[in-house]
Amino acid sequence: MEDISITTEYIKADAFLKFTGLCATGGQAKWMIEEAQVTVNGVVCTQRGKKLYRGDIVAVTGGPVYRIV
């Protein structure tokens, strides 16, 4: 598990995917979320604009797991 530090109160799911380098564009992030490839705290994330806060665990199917700090 890799810790990702944010300086704001929250980060939206699509922006998080771009921030971590898991995708290069918002379109790719949207596709990953629509294809149920992203989970937040063990629950499939289906909202691009889902707000992620410190302490949330984000995982990508077949990829890394991140903890927001």
Side-chain angles (χ1 to χ4, degrees), residues 33-57:
I33 292 169
E34 287 178 349
E35 293 296 315
Q37 294 186 13
V38 179
T39 62
V40 177
N41 300 323
V43 178
V44 173
C45 176
T46 58
Q47 301 170 336
R48 275 179 32 197
K50 179 168 180 58
K51 295 177 182 177
L52 307 176
Y53 296 91
R54 288 177 188 88
D56 283 344
I57 306 295

Side-chain angles (χ1 to χ4, degrees), residues 7-63:
T7 58
T8 56
E9 180 183 355
Y10 64 86
I11 186 169
K12 292 186 179 179
D14 59 348
F16 180 81
L17 294 174
K18 291 188 294 182
F19 180 71
T20 58
L22 289 169
C23 60
T25 67
Q28 288 176 332
K30 178 181 175 182
W31 179 84
M32 288 176 72
I33 292 169
E34 287 178 349
E35 293 296 315
Q37 294 186 13
V38 179
T39 62
V40 177
N41 300 323
V43 178
V44 173
C45 176
T46 58
Q47 301 170 336
R48 275 179 32 197
K50 179 168 180 58
K51 295 177 182 177
L52 307 176
Y53 296 91
R54 288 177 188 88
D56 283 344
I57 306 295
V58 181
V60 177
T61 302

